[in-house]
Amino acid sequence: MSDRPVSEAGVVGPGPLVPLDEAYVAHAEVLREVAVCAWDAVPLARGAGRGPGHDLEAALRLADLAARLVECAVVVALEGGASWADVAVLAGVGEDEARGRWAGPVRDWVGAGRRRPPGRVDSVTVAGDVDAWYRGVEPGVEGVVTAGLVSAGPSGEAAREEADRGRAEAAALWRTSPGGSLESGVAWASGLRTQAEHLERLAVLEPPLADEHVAQARELRELAALVEPMPGPF
């Protein structure tokens, strides 16, 4: 068992949550920013410091937050088991367009270890802060974020440990870049096949990019078949 402490909210303390929970918390964090920004923009009284450009600045800020919110929602959908085809249908666009819009943020998410960026306030604290903020808006409503986290459930600790192992394995695979040179077709083909194997494993470890990893692995295997010398007649 981990020695991570348990918070009052019932979530195992500092350290990354399971990827879906991390995505939910990131989404909730931006939702709170949207709500606060919109709330602050509503009063029309010309108070101190509210110049003629205040409303435009607030609207632009909301537009930026809305774009971030959609990116977070796409990550939540993919972490929750949706496919890019599902995302495209929900967005009312073609799959290629959906990928064109949001594949970058999804890759950034996976590249960060399928968690909110390290170095910021940890997700457990953020979830608790959003709980407290929402409770201030709707008194009596408890755990609006933390109560829905897998990491807070009975199997949460085991799920987090499994996620930690998956992150570590994925990081190790990304650090490994098999060699092989053009001078040796056999060695190069072997390196390509090893990379393909790594990508196929990453497809399991990083579901949001699974189809991308599988497609790249297929291309590497096809290339390996081309560069490997054909066996001689003797």
Side-chain angles (χ1 to χ4, degrees), residues 22-108:
E22 287 281 339
Y24 273 134
V25 172
H27 185 254
E29 186 177 25
V30 178
L31 269 174
R32 178 180 58 177
E33 290 186 62
V34 169
V36 170
C37 184
W39 184 269
D40 289 344
V42 169
L44 296 179
R46 293 294 185 266
R50 187 184 176 100
H54 174 86
D55 296 323
L56 177 57
E57 290 177 351
L60 291 172
R61 172 64 175 155
L62 279 168
D64 178 64
L65 287 170
R68 285 174 51 198
L69 187 64
V70 172
E71 293 173 359
C72 288
V74 169
V75 170
V76 168
L78 293 173
E79 287 288 5
S83 66
W84 276 106
D86 296 328
V87 170
V89 170
L90 290 168
V93 298
E95 186 172 340
D96 287 344
E97 184 175 348
R99 289 178 182 274
R101 288 186 186 181
W102 300 303
V106 172
R107 291 192 191 101
D108 290 342

Side-chain angles (χ1 to χ4, degrees), residues 111-168:
R114 298 167 70 199
R115 57 180 294 189
R116 292 173 59 260
R120 298 172 59 183
V121 177
D122 67 88
S123 294
V124 174
T125 300
V126 171
D129 288 347
V130 177
D131 283 350
W133 168 79
Y134 197 89
R135 189 166 56 247
V137 177
E138 291 285 343
V141 178
E142 301 290 338
V144 68
V145 175
T146 54
L149 300 178
V150 172
S151 302
S155 60
E157 179 65 7
R160 288 181 75 175
E161 290 177 349
E162 181 179 356
D164 286 346
R165 288 192 293 271
R167 289 185 178 102

